[in-house]
Amino acid sequence: MFELPGSVRVALWATVVIGSGGDLAGVAPRALPDVDHVAGLLDRLTLWRDLGEGAVLVALPSAGHVASLPRTDDEARDAAVEAGEALFVAGIGGVLVPEHSTYGSSGRRVDWHAFDAEPVPVHRVEALSHRQLERDLMELVTTARDDLERVGGQPFADSLAREIADNRLGGAWGLPDALDDRAYRVITLAGTVGAAARIGTEHSGAIDARTAADRDATLLALARGADRLLADATNAACAQLAGWVPAR
């Protein structure tokens, strides 16, 4: 079962709870139900809300691809790249980065670390459109498919490829019911595509080294593109949930 990055789920649930005036203590159980211990999240979300932030946003950076992060220092940027995810707010600025670990025989914990960051112009988030993001995602997938056909080598089993195409994977994404249909569709499809692309790099099959390298480069580009669109789709949804923009 594929799942979305925890920061995606936290951003959406936190924005919903802030908008409804609910108890922020409920965000972690809803967004991270498979985590046994969460530290550092509630206090920071409460501070952001009390300082007037209505939306919690997400970044999914990777080495050499940090444009989704607000301007911050090297320590915060390196931590976010290592985690592959981070939360931030636009108005007052600030970044929250998760650190995942285990304890005991099977316990999972996430410690959230806060860093300073510059504010982000809200109009950049308000300009995001799920309609356009869905088109961008379809173009990304089509381009990757054509590139894979040209390179050669089958990265997915036929059954998995069919399920990706039908967007049937990840039936329990743990997303708020307040999401509209298009936002839900773009977020879950982007998450599916990114996860599937990474799985594809782990199953080379009986192909030569050059073909495997070319195919893996195509899949990595697909995964990074899907991550970018997933973050944008999540932030567009948070802008809607916060009442910044109407659904579109």
Side-chain angles (χ1 to χ4, degrees):
M1 179 74 72
F2 293 171
E3 62 179 29
L4 294 168
S7 293
V8 167
R9 301 194 302 268
V10 170
L12 291 165
W13 276 109
T15 302
V16 166
V17 172
I18 291 172
S20 67
D23 186 355
L24 285 168
V27 170
R30 289 170 173 161
L32 306 169
D34 53 346
V35 176
D36 301 290
H37 181 76
V38 178
L41 179 63
L42 177 58
D43 288 348
R44 184 57 49 163
L45 292 180
T46 300
L47 176 64
W48 284 346
R49 180 201 60 192
D50 292 348
L51 291 175
E53 295 294 343
V56 177
L57 306 173
V58 67
L60 299 173
S62 59
H65 297 80
V66 296
S68 61
L69 282 169
R71 290 176 62 89
T72 186
D73 61 24
D74 291 346
E75 182 183 6
R77 185 169 55 252
D78 291 347
V81 167
E82 182 176 355
E85 54 183 311
L87 301 171
F88 66 96
V89 286
I92 62 171
V95 172
L96 200 55
V97 179
E99 179 185 6
H100 299 263
S101 60
T102 59
Y103 63 93
S105 60
S106 60
R108 294 181 59 189
R109 67 176 291 158
V110 179
D111 294 275
W112 295 81
H113 302 286
F115 300 90
D116 293 332
E118 293 185 11
V120 174
V122 172
H123 67 83
R124 294 183 183 176
V125 182
E126 294 174 334
L128 296 170
S129 161
H130 285 118
R131 189 181 302 276
Q132 182 60 51
L133 292 171
E134 187 171 26
R135 286 196 289 264
D136 291 345
L137 182 58
M138 293 301 99
E139 181 178 350
L140 179 73
V141 171
T142 298
T143 299
R145 182 198 62 202
D146 292 345
D147 289 344
L148 288 170
E149 289 178 353
R150 182 171 59 255
V151 168
Q154 174 57 262
F156 311 117
D158 289 342
S159 59
L160 178 58
R162 286 195 299 272
E163 291 195 46
I164 292 169
D166 292 341
N167 191 26
R168 292 198 298 263
L169 291 180
W173 290 103
L175 299 177
D177 292 337
L179 285 177
D180 68 40
D181 290 344
R182 187 184 291 273
Y184 181 90
R185 182 169 65 250
V186 178
I187 288 170
T188 56
L189 182 56
T192 299
V193 169
R198 289 183 171 87
I199 289 173
T201 64
E202 299 169 2
H203 300 280
S204 296
I207 54 178
D208 62 85
R210 175 61 183 272
T211 299
D214 289 346
R215 194 210 60 185
D216 286 354
T218 298
L219 289 172
L220 181 58
L222 175 60
R224 287 174 173 166
D227 286 349
R228 173 180 57 82
L229 293 170
L230 173 57
D232 284 348
T234 301
N235 293 338
C238 289
Q240 293 174 4
L241 294 167
W244 295 357
V245 296
R248 52 183 176 172

